[in-house]
Amino acid sequence: DAKTTQPNSMESNEEEPVHLPCNHSTISGTDYIHWYRQLPSQGPEYVIHGLTSNVNNRMASLAIAEDRKSSTLILHRATLRDAAVYYCILRVNMYSGGGADGLTFGKGTHLIIQP
Amino acid sequence: DTAVSQTPKYLVTQMGNDKSIKCEQNLGHDTMYWYKQDSKKFLKIMFSYNNKELIINETVPNRFSPKSPDKAHLNLHINSLELGDSAVYFCASSSAQETQYFGPGTRLLVL
């Protein structure tokens, strides 16, 4: 999996939007951009993923740059329960021959939410 | 029902012992994984199993051996435990390259 770069930590206030950036300048055309998060003392959980277009789901939005070299995870209204480490991960498109390999986690961004 | 479950949640044992951690998934997935999260919180893939075949095996000591009795289970056996094996071990499952679902983790402490 290609490498991603994220800030070590970010801080935000409760009920405000949060924009978590991720740089992936070496992304290939077959890589999907995945986001997972790990709440304290829990296993990682899936947040969202996308290829080229912006994506929305009930948890977050994913904004992907036109050149795909960066992306931003957007939490529209952060709550205290969103305090976690957020990981941006690139994965090969399974339909392009990617195998059933594991996720390559970086250091992630530690998101702190202030009440 | 819990999608991916692990037992035990906590495991404290002496150096040199042999132990097993169990993992079960009820999602009907065909691929299961084991990850290790060390004291510095780095998460690293150890193994993945697809249809009872080992797909990858990162540079993990051969003291660690995954065993899959059926598609819903992937157990992790560890022989001759060492102090450095202390970590949190996470099991996960997915359907091929789809979203991975993680278990709650097993906190292993080797004394």
Side-chain angles (χ1 to χ4, degrees), chain B residues 17-73:
Chain B
N17 285 349
D18 302 337
K19 290 294 179 185
S20 295
I21 306 172
K22 294 186 177 181
C23 177
E24 177 181 2
Q25 55 96 3
N26 61 9
L27 299 167
H29 289 158
D30 54 11
T31 306
M32 296 184 71
Y33 312 81
W34 276 106
Y35 289 82
K36 177 182 179 180
Q37 188 166 40
D38 61 23
S39 58
K40 295 183 178 178
K41 303 295 184 183
F42 291 123
L43 261 166
K44 188 173 180 182
I45 180 71
M46 297 178 73
F47 303 103
S48 70
Y49 248 79
N50 185 315
N51 293 324
K52 295 190 177 183
E53 290 185 57
L54 182 65
I55 299 298
I56 61 170
N57 182 344
E58 298 289 319
T59 53
V60 173
N62 57 15
R63 299 182 294 104
F64 290 79
S65 55
K67 300 242 188 307
S68 181
D70 54 59
K71 213 166 88 165
H73 296 84

Side-chain angles (χ1 to χ4, degrees), chain B residues 62-102:
Chain B
N62 57 15
R63 299 182 294 104
F64 290 79
S65 55
K67 300 242 188 307
S68 181
D70 54 59
K71 213 166 88 165
H73 296 84
L74 182 65
N75 303 325
L76 183 64
H77 297 274
I78 315 170
N79 294 325
S80 302
L81 277 156
E82 300 178 357
L83 295 176
D85 297 333
S86 296
V88 183
Y89 292 85
F90 290 101
C91 176
S93 73
S94 75
S95 178
Q97 284 284 75
E98 301 287 329
T99 300
Q100 291 192 15
Y101 293 82
F102 286 79

Side-chain angles (χ1 to χ4, degrees), chain A residues 20-91:
Chain A
L20 296 165
C22 180
N23 287 322
H24 28 79
S25 58
T26 59
I27 191 171
S28 73
T30 56
D31 286 336
Y32 276 76
I33 302 158
H34 287 245
W35 284 81
Y36 282 74
R37 72 179 185 181
Q38 186 174 22
L39 279 66
S41 300
Q42 295 188 29
E45 66 173 344
Y46 167 81
V47 178
I48 200 167
H49 77 283
L51 183 62
T52 55
S53 304
N54 294 344
V55 184
N56 299 296
N57 67 20
R58 64 174 180 81
M59 289 181 72
S61 295
L62 177 60
I64 301 172
E66 196 168 336
D67 63 5
R68 301 209 326 125
K69 293 185 176 182
S70 65
S71 60
T72 302
L73 178 70
I74 303 166
L75 306 179
H76 294 285
R77 200 162 169 243
T79 69
L80 295 177
R81 287 176 294 180
D82 291 320
V85 179
Y86 287 78
Y87 298 97
C88 170
I89 300 168
L90 301 184
R91 299 208 74 198

